[in-house]
Amino acid sequence: MTNQTIIDYVKAELSQDKTGHAWDHIERVVANCRQLLAKLNKVVDEEIVITAAYVHDCLDDKLFNNPEEKEVQLKHHLLNNGLSTDQVVTIIDIIKNQSFSANLTSRQALSLEGQVLQDADRLDALGAIGIARTFYYAGAKGNPLYNQSSVRTQLDKAAYRQAENSSINHFYEKLLKLENLMNTEVGKNEAHKRTVFMQEFLSNFYQEIGQAPSDNI
Ligand code: ADP
Ligand code: NI
């Protein structure tokens, strides 16, 4: 059972978020963790998974401009609320290594606890909720829905991606890749269902805007 003080801390830390990482995201990730844990036939430290799930976005450099300070603050908070030094080290290690961005250059080694949290967080980037969060994030950042000039060379495509990140492009640079990166069997099955739904969404989207399917919009 995660300490109420830790829950209140997370709520306060994420209360200003307008990019899809607010308290509702945390609740869904915790719920996803519980579902994965219930179906996992392995010995896992559930307290570590659940506490890490609650605090996993509390030192993200996309959300905070002082992530090092946030890390120190979070460590103190966890230590002052009943967690041992070992548990705090384990939790901080998990949340620093589980994000998509932390795994871009090389895949980080994750404990089983970290793998469950990573799958749970990724599931919230997929399916109907994943679609909603993507457009919500793009709105907060002022990014376009899609790029209207679809005829581009490969070179232009790379340049475009760097310059301006459209919501549709985000499906190709991240969301559609997640299914193959899942750690657990149960997570992979759910990721597959959600990915099929996103593909259907994309296909309708292209049809409605009168453009050919492309990862270049
Ligand atoms: P992680 O914490 O795994 O690095 P992010 O915080 O980058 O993942 O992404 C969380 C969610 O925020 C994504 O699944 C997506 O919904 C949204 N998001 C992040 N970057 C973008 C983007 N460039 N365009 C649209 N949505 C984005
Ligand atoms: Ni998250």
Side-chain angles (χ1 to χ4, degrees):
M1 196 36 206
T2 303
N3 189 311
Q4 185 61 39
T5 326
I6 296 175
I7 292 176
D8 292 342
Y9 173 86
V10 177
K11 280 187 183 170
E13 285 295 292
L14 301 177
S15 62
Q16 302 302 314
D17 181 77
K18 297 281 183 289
T19 67
H21 299 82
W23 177 246
D24 60 303
H25 166 63
I26 304 302
E27 281 190 314
R28 289 189 303 273
V29 173
V30 170
N32 289 344
C33 282
R34 292 196 199 284
Q35 283 180 6
L36 293 172
L37 288 169
K39 291 181 192 150
L40 203 69
N41 274 330
K42 290 183 183 157
V43 181
V44 193
D45 186 334
E46 300 201 2
E47 189 186 358
I48 290 287
V49 177
I50 300 299
T51 309
Y54 274 114
V55 301
H56 83 273
D57 276 333
C58 284
L59 38 91
D60 191 323
D61 60 5
K62 275 189 305 308
L63 310 184
F64 301 103
N65 53 21
N66 52 348
E68 288 90 5
E69 263 173 59
K70 287 290 163 192
E71 183 177 332
V72 175
Q73 189 185 312
L74 177 62
K75 277 182 187 163
H76 280 302
H77 192 80
L78 294 175
L79 286 170
N80 290 337
N81 283 285
L83 276 88
S84 69
T85 309
D86 278 358
Q87 286 177 311
V88 174
V89 169
T90 305
I91 289 170
I92 299 285
D93 188 57
I94 287 176
I95 65 180
K96 283 174 89 168
N97 287 317
Q98 68 99 16
S99 80
F100 185 73
S101 34
N103 285 274
L104 274 181
T105 39
S106 63
R107 208 164 166 181
Q108 304 296 318
L110 274 180
S111 59
L112 189 53
E113 287 76 14
Q115 293 180 19
V116 172
L117 172 56
Q118 188 176 56
D119 277 8
D121 198 22
R122 284 176 169 169
L123 286 176
D124 204 51
L126 299 176
I129 189 67
I131 295 170
R133 287 180 74 216
T134 297
F135 290 101
Y136 185 79
Y137 179 101
K141 300 282 176 189
N143 294 343
L145 289 181
Y146 61 97
N147 171 20
Q148 288 169 295
S149 43
S150 59
V151 187
R152 285 169 187 271
T153 63
Q154 288 299 312
L155 207 80
D156 284 344
K157 186 165 152 179
Y160 170 78
R161 280 190 176 154
Q162 273 214 316
E164 214 179 347
N165 199 353
S166 80
S167 309
I168 291 294
N169 180 246
H170 190 65
F171 286 83
Y172 295 94
E173 70 172 4
K174 174 179 174 183
L175 307 181
L176 296 175
K177 293 179 182 166
L178 292 179
E179 178 186 347
N180 286 329
L181 298 172
M182 299 297 282
N183 305 297
T184 65
E185 206 53 38
V186 192
K188 209 178 180 74
N189 290 342
E190 182 59 26
H192 178 68
K193 284 188 215 155
R194 295 188 187 204
T195 302
V196 168
F197 181 74
M198 291 196 303
Q199 275 158 341
E200 196 183 329
F201 164 80
L202 286 170
S203 148
N204 283 16
F205 191 93
Y206 296 122
Q207 210 176 10
E208 290 170 20
I209 65 169
Q211 288 204 30
S214 161
D215 63 348
N216 191 24
I217 70 166

